Amino acid sequence: MALPVPLRGVIPPVCTPLDAHGEVDTTSLTRLVTHLLDGGVHGLFALGSSGEAAFLSDARRATALETVIKAADGRVPVLAGAIDTTTARVLDHARTAADLGADALVATAPFYTRTHPREIAAHFRRIRTAVGLPLFAYDIPMAVHSKLPTALVVELAEDGTLAGLKDSSGDDGALRRLAVRLGGRTARRTGPAPGFTLLTGSELTVDAALLAGADGVVPGLCNVDPAGYVRLYDAARAGDWERAAAEQERLVALFDMTDAGPESEMGRSSSALGSFKAALRLLGVIEHGATAFPQLPLSEESVAEVGRRLTSASLPPVR
Amino acid sequence: MALPVPLRGVIPPVCTPLDAHGEVDTTSLTRLVTHLLDGGVHGLFALGSSGEAAFLSDARRATALETVIKAADGRVPVLAGAIDTTTARVLDHARTAADLGADALVATAPFYTRTHPREIAAHFRRIRTAVGLPLFAYDIPMAVHSKLPTALVVELAEDGTLAGLKDSSGDDGALRRLAVRLGGRTARRTGPAPGFTLLTGSELTVDAALLAGADGVVPGLCNVDPAGYVRLYDAARAGDWERAAAEQERLVALFDMTDAGPESEMGRSSSALGSFKAALRLLGVIEHGATAFPQLPLSEESVAEVGRRLTSASLPPVR
Amino acid sequence: MALPVPLRGVIPPVCTPLDAHGEVDTTSLTRLVTHLLDGGVHGLFALGSSGEAAFLSDARRATALETVIKAADGRVPVLAGAIDTTTARVLDHARTAADLGADALVATAPFYTRTHPREIAAHFRRIRTAVGLPLFAYDIPMAVHSKLPTALVVELAEDGTLAGLKDSSGDDGALRRLAVRLGGRTARRTGPAPGFTLLTGSELTVDAALLAGADGVVPGLCNVDPAGYVRLYDAARAGDWERAAAEQERLVALFDMTDAGPESEMGRSSSALGSFKAALRLLGVIEHGATAFPQLPLSEESVAEVGRRLTSASLPPVR
Amino acid sequence: MALPVPLRGVIPPVCTPLDAHGEVDTTSLTRLVTHLLDGGVHGLFALGSSGEAAFLSDARRATALETVIKAADGRVPVLAGAIDTTTARVLDHARTAADLGADALVATAPFYTRTHPREIAAHFRRIRTAVGLPLFAYDIPMAVHSKLPTALVVELAEDGTLAGLKDSSGDDGALRRLAVRLGGRTARRTGPAPGFTLLTGSELTVDAALLAGADGVVPGLCNVDPAGYVRLYDAARAGDWERAAAEQERLVALFDMTDAGPESEMGRSSSALGSFKAALRLLGVIEHGATAFPQLPLSEESVAEVGRRLTSASLPPVR
């Protein structure tokens, strides 16, 4: 389907359920997509960090993306992460995603290597021209260890290289500066890059990002509670900021599930993604809560804690 | 004066004007305080990072604080930074501040050394008990290279060690989690630390912080445009979030002045503080725009750029 | 061929020459291997950071490795980098390397994601058991943004998971502590992990690493001057530390070529790898000096500087 | 006394023993200086990181420095740390040190603030000209979070601003590059900065630093075993690198005492400095093992572990 310009709404970074052998559980993934669409989301982002793209072999990535696209069935656009160290490798993923029918690509700055902004610009330009799909820059310094400079994003927005930005930097001040550079809340659509889409990857400051003029939101926690983020989005769009903030607060409390795994025992990724998957299993959406190897599993006690968080947030477990 | 509990409103981190010899220009500083009070601010924070505390000798710190307290003349509370590497050194500053009549203290976690959260807790507890003034924790990882853990702040809020937090971490997600842990927008005053004050040090996401439940704001740029931040604060308090966001956008554009000094030629601190002081000089508030040694001065061209930013933000230079 | 236990000597991380289209220039690569073997090296490490593995598609990686193995023709062992974000992806590269005839594997800790030491241990154990080749851990925090803890390396050395460590951390103090934990210069071969191989990736402190008990050295600059590093190695093995240090100093001066590209204009990776390749072209070893996209090319002036460095180090350019 | 040019030998960063009230225990400190001089050291560095300068009030700093100078009694030169955030504050410490009779000053780059290399250069130049004492730059990125660029040190060495460098960066490759830039092992004394002194702050790679051409060594662990470091230094000076390395290995094993305090329970500074002081107490040199507040004390079990390390290194506890 043609990607809306700008892309607006709630676009969850879809988790990738796995079976007992670490293979993509396509039945659970299909059910998860249904769960998200039933929640009212406006798009799907497959093979992002929450989708554990960094943990999936090429074959598993293709299976996951194919399953999401098939399950979405054209009802909402599907963005596909093309996550790899540098341009040539990203291009291989990007071409696969295009072949499988993705509606847009999401790529980070190069990582593993030390890169100059001019090299990052060349990277995005090459991807854009080599593959005929709208391209979103994925700003995620926690993973790639560089922050996309605001001036660089503006340049690539203005010249049409980028269709949008998914900001997972946690730097809401920089997001605000970018929004203002592009014209701000009232003039962005007539500014230097009128179709440019601003998305926040935050779970915790979605109301703030929307107040700042973001078009959409891509929160990992949305896998667990899509309807909640849609309510938050709708309240913000309606200008009911008090209601948006109240919904945000409920979701902030729910997000505490990501601390279920003790920091002394597992990585932060294992704990966060493990809690999302445990929640989805407790809610009856997916079959297994396992994260991809070598992430360590949540203990029974941690899973019980996830269950308590669900209950507190009015999302009672069904098993 | 007794510190309001909680402390609410706009509390600028007061710049410290210097004369041609690097000494505190008390006449200019007095005029700056008047400028801020005329703008409607609700408190003053002396000897913070914007006040160049890290650059001032003990004697100059005392002069600056004394001048601010005298100029405020009891009309608003004065918070005093007690910035130093570890507890014993902070205590010396804290006692001086108490003697000079400060209404509250602001202290960071230890820096220069590598410290454990339990040691940070002991640090704040010792400061609180040794000096009979309300104590605010200053969370500024950019300067001290550690982030105050949310659980630690909650613990020190609940047991009464901390009167509040000045969050200059730029991590608005963490600020939101803290606000929710303390009860959130509706229940924070009846929560586990009912009098605890949440302040954001951001210039760029003040509307968002207030939407999240912050009590007050401490933006360095407020030195330049106190009335703007007071308008933003008032709009937010009145629930007019659209107006708050519009004011915020104007201030975000004004904040671009902090990039006036090229990154290849000077430190980020020199550029930001230099632009604030250049603006205050152009507005006729202070006499000299010099920052403290060894910060490099803005070029004439950079000062002209600051002037253009002022004009764009409807704050025309008077010289 | 069977890998010597321990693996000793000079084992260059082989550069990957590219043609004008960015494809692996197998003729130049074959010539480079001959150049290295003629210089007296004791092994070859293909697809490391100096080999630009992070920039090569799977197909180009396979071509490069195949070419190196064929050119080595069993005269020295060939180690193959299996560089990717996490275990499943590393395994795909590792199996290809095994199929192509590599003698050992080199893998980093997971990157892009945030990982716990227990997860890193599981990662290396799974690779070791899934592929029947000796496994070297590649400690390169500059790229993967975590440092392998000494205790973890000791554990994986003792239980036979790791055949060795390639230390590119630049932390020579930690390398020394590891060497002593394993028994030190005199007792390491009878210590808890008698066959364990310690390799340093440093260009600049090779004499020091050998004095500390390292078995071998993997310096990127060795591509340019293999004979120099072999002389350094031989002097150290002969206990002639003064001669080793003198040779090291010549190579340190030669290493200044890596600064040929101005930091304001290109990434540090482009400058370093670009200078190695420019030098190899000037020496007549490879055809083109191009680095992989999106790295920026050295300017003519920078290439001339590389030429001057070669001349100063008694390696006069032939073109 | 006049400072030797260059300054050569073992120059321990003297610990600051404290009494039960946190005051400087001058009797123990005097005994510690005697212990160090008896061990054969060639100079003393007071008020460095190992001296807990960051934890001492101005009054305690003065007491500590005065005690060291008096105890040294002109037998070896005394260097004094002047550790503070920026120039004006450093100058106050520097003047006190000069008044108390220090033979040289040691200062870091500015910290707490974000500083440009040109500002760092101005900082050192101002200190040098304002106080008539030889000035050593203290490169300690772990504490000040910036690394002194090699080119900057060369510039300040050549123009006479700096008498030397104390390198506590742990980056032995950079130290090697600096040494070569200054002429290397054979030509440094006739190079661009003939009198410049290179000191390493490493405990673990002293033999390597001396092989690279360092003039002297400033290891914190030297407080515990001065005679060991002097033996290591003498062996290196005599060109007996095997004996130097063997002594270094014994000291590396002894350094494991710094891990006595569990990372989950205390800061790394507390554990390292706590272990040095516990060792000095067990050896009968100082009265109390306490570190400065808010550092947490070692447990009894950790102190016992320190004792075992001493015994293993042939330094049996006397209590």
Side-chain angles (χ1 to χ4, degrees), chain B residues 178-197:
Chain B
L178 175 63
V180 170
R181 291 271 174 92
L182 295 175
R185 288 155 47 89
T186 53
R188 191 143 67 77
R189 294 283 90 89
T190 57
F196 190 78
T197 293

Side-chain angles (χ1 to χ4, degrees), chain A residues 75-99:
Chain A
R75 286 173 289 178
V76 298
V78 175
L79 289 69
I83 308 297
D84 217 311
T85 47
T86 64
T87 319
R89 300 188 61 79
V90 169
L91 280 178
D92 282 349
H93 301 297
R95 288 182 184 118
T96 300
D99 289 347

Side-chain angles (χ1 to χ4, degrees), chain D residues 36-62:
Chain D
L36 296 170
L37 292 176
D38 288 352
V41 305
H42 309 86
L44 298 168
F45 171 34
L47 301 181
S49 302
S50 295
E52 295 177 89
F55 295 91
L56 302 178
S57 66
D58 286 356
R60 288 172 191 159
R61 287 188 184 190

Side-chain angles (χ1 to χ4, degrees), chain A residues 17-64:
Chain A
L18 302 173
D19 66 18
H21 308 290
E23 297 299 331
V24 178
D25 174 355
T26 56
T27 309
S28 287
L29 179 49
T30 300
R31 219 153 44 213
L32 173 56
V33 169
T34 302
H35 165 71
L36 296 170
L37 292 176
D38 287 354
V41 305
H42 309 85
L44 297 168
F45 171 34
L47 301 181
S49 302
S50 295
E52 295 178 89
F55 295 91
L56 301 179
S57 65
D58 286 357
R60 287 172 191 159
R61 288 188 184 189
T63 302

Side-chain angles (χ1 to χ4, degrees), chain A residues 55-288:
Chain A
F55 295 91
L56 301 179
S57 65
D58 286 357
R60 287 172 191 159
R61 288 188 184 189
T63 302
L65 178 57
E66 206 167 9
T67 304
V68 169
I69 289 172
K70 197 171 154 199
D73 196 24
R75 286 173 289 178
V76 298
V78 175
L79 289 69
I83 308 297
D84 217 311
T85 47
T86 64
T87 319
R89 300 188 61 79
V90 169
L91 280 178
D92 282 349
H93 301 297
R95 288 182 184 118
T96 300
D99 289 347
L100 293 172
D103 299 303
L105 298 171
V106 185
T108 70
F111 53 94
Y112 189 89
T113 182
R114 289 169 295 165
T115 308
H116 189 273
R118 282 181 56 204
E119 295 169 334
I120 298 175
H123 169 77
F124 284 121
R125 288 197 174 105
R126 174 73 60 94
I127 299 170
R128 181 63 190 91
T129 53
V131 186
L133 283 180
L135 176 62
F136 289 75
Y138 192 174
D139 193 19
I140 184 163
M142 190 172 56
V144 307
H145 299 277
S146 69
K147 170 98 181 78
L148 292 179
T150 299
L152 180 70
V153 175
V154 170
E155 178 188 328
L156 297 173
E158 287 189 29
D159 73 7
T161 299
L162 294 179
L165 173 77
K166 174 185 186 311
D167 176 26
S168 296
S169 71
D171 185 345
D172 286 357
L175 180 66
R176 194 60 169 270
R177 294 188 81 179
L178 175 63
V180 170
R181 292 270 175 93
L182 295 175
R185 288 157 46 89
T186 53
R188 192 143 66 77
R189 293 282 91 88
T190 57
F196 191 77
T197 294
L198 271 183
L199 305 173
T200 179
S202 174
E203 272 97 357
L204 303 166
T205 58
V206 166
D207 52 352
L210 292 169
L211 183 59
D215 299 293
V217 306
V218 192
L221 183 63
C222 184
N223 282 279
V224 177
D225 190 9
Y229 278 102
V230 169
R231 280 195 301 273
L232 164 45
Y233 177 79
D234 288 344
R237 279 289 164 261
D240 188 346
W241 297 103
E242 308 289 338
R243 194 153 53 86
E247 190 67 42
Q248 178 67 82
E249 291 201 339
R250 193 185 56 81
L251 290 161
V252 167
L254 183 61
F255 187 76
D256 279 350
M257 69 166 59
T258 61
D259 294 331
E263 206 158 334
S264 57
E265 289 176 25
M266 58 173 61
R268 289 302 80 201
S269 166
S270 307
S271 177
L273 297 177
S275 74
F276 294 165
K277 287 184 151 182
L280 287 170
R281 197 186 66 79
L282 291 172
L283 293 172
V285 179
I286 69 174
E287 200 55 36
H288 300 278

